[in-house]
Amino acid sequence: MPGDAIYVLGVGNLGKYVAHSLMKEAPGPVTLLFHRSSLEDQWRSAANGIQCITNGVPDTRSGFRIEVLPSSAQSPLKCSNKQYALDPIKYLIVTTKTYMTTGALELVKDRLSSETSILFLQNGMGTMDETSAKIFPDPKARPAYWAGICSAGVYSTDPFTIVHAGKGPLLVGLVEGPNTQNVPTHDQDAVLTQNTMVQRLSQAGVLETSVLSSEAIRESQLQKLVVNAIINPLTAIFRCQNGQLASNPPRLAVMKLLLEETGPIVKALLHTPSDMFSNQNLFDLVLSVAHKTRANTSSMLQDVQASRRTEIDYINGYIAAQGKRLAMPHVHNSTVVRLVKEGRTIQDHDIA
Ligand code: KPL
């Protein structure tokens, strides 16, 4: 049943983890969409499979369908099975870097429709709005958007090998939009029976999927945004691991300053007021994540160290833009965006 295939766009840490988990535990076709042609050679070197190492035990899964997307919407498509190449895509999981989202979606947009469910599983916020503006300006043609947050600790050791270092749930929820009126978002059983993608994610027990209401997933997205807006840029600017932020008084003071500006902006983005978004509660949340992930190098510091583009525009950049729109103070968020983009570092004695 090609129509029920789940397509995964973006094979970074999370894309590999989700694809591997689906193939291992939730029977049905999984198609990997390669949006860079170099991935095809790396895939062959990896013997056409994804390896996931958990507690030192490797598990390799093969059987994926592969499509190498054309470099532009006009060039021809290469895929492991021509029969499926132009099939409409009903279920799509997007795990690309945020700034690549619309460029990658552009390559498959003719296969997406209001019948499609897209799950955005990414750091930061803003990609759904960009997708609507650039890819689906007509709201009636827009797919149903799902938001996902995965807290599992996963890192790559080569292009198709990941280490599953820490357990963490996958939260998913349907985002309110033009094509979601008929989808029951509060009734978990109904969502599960109606959406094969969510059902299969849920079957892949290793993902520990919980289906949340639209409101609850928005709260979780905004909480995650706050966590990423404090930990990610500050670990990049101080060049330290997550746990080394809170254990150092000058850095802790900067965390607090940034949070005091970020908290009220994010709180204003809630659709329903929530006590969880007081500055104190948000700061406690940031501290607890920094502690739980104390040995981690944040994804932003990893990007800076590898001289890759960071996702700052979709984290502090998004918050600064929302602050501007709402006429709320946002100077600290704008400053960290600039510092990260310029590759600047701050020494503790600079702020003492
Ligand atoms: O999500 C993260 C990231 O690095 O992007 C945190 C939670 C900060 C863990 O490192």
Side-chain angles (χ1 to χ4, degrees), residues 204-262:
V206 67
L207 294 168
E208 296 173 55
T209 307
S210 299
V211 183
L212 304 186
S213 67
S214 298
E215 246 162 67
I217 194 72
R218 184 159 179 87
E219 282 179 5
S220 300
Q221 278 181 290
L222 290 171
Q223 283 177 322
K224 173 96 166 76
L225 181 67
V226 173
V227 166
N228 289 129
I230 310 298
I231 298 180
N232 293 27
L234 297 186
T235 50
I237 291 167
F238 290 113
R239 298 285 195 273
C240 68
Q241 289 180 316
N242 297 357
Q244 294 170 321
L245 277 180
S247 59
N248 171 311
R251 294 178 194 167
L252 193 65
V254 177
M255 286 174 87
K256 223 172 180 155
L257 199 68
L258 187 54
L259 186 116
E260 277 162 9
E261 179 182 280
T262 302

Side-chain angles (χ1 to χ4, degrees), residues 123 224 227-228 231-232 242 289 293 296-300:
N123 263 347
K224 173 96 166 76
V227 166
N228 289 129
I231 298 180
N232 293 27
N242 297 357
V289 175
T293 62
N296 274 26
T297 301
S298 76
S299 56
M300 194 168 287

Side-chain angles (χ1 to χ4, degrees), residues 128-194:
M128 292 184 205
D129 293 342
E130 254 181 40
T131 300
S132 295
K134 293 190 184 164
I135 311 284
F136 303 108
D138 173 7
K140 284 196 239 67
R142 198 170 293 162
Y145 295 163
W146 293 74
I149 299 166
C150 185
S151 315
V154 183
Y155 63 91
S156 299
T157 51
D158 70 45
F160 289 100
T161 302
I162 43 169
V163 176
H164 180 203
K167 280 190 150 207
L170 170 68
L171 306 178
V172 299
L174 189 65
V175 174
E176 297 287 359
N179 294 320
T180 56
Q181 298 91 334
N182 302 326
V183 187
T185 62
H186 296 278
D187 180 347
Q188 163 134 341
D189 291 341
V191 170
L192 283 176
T193 48
Q194 286 181 15

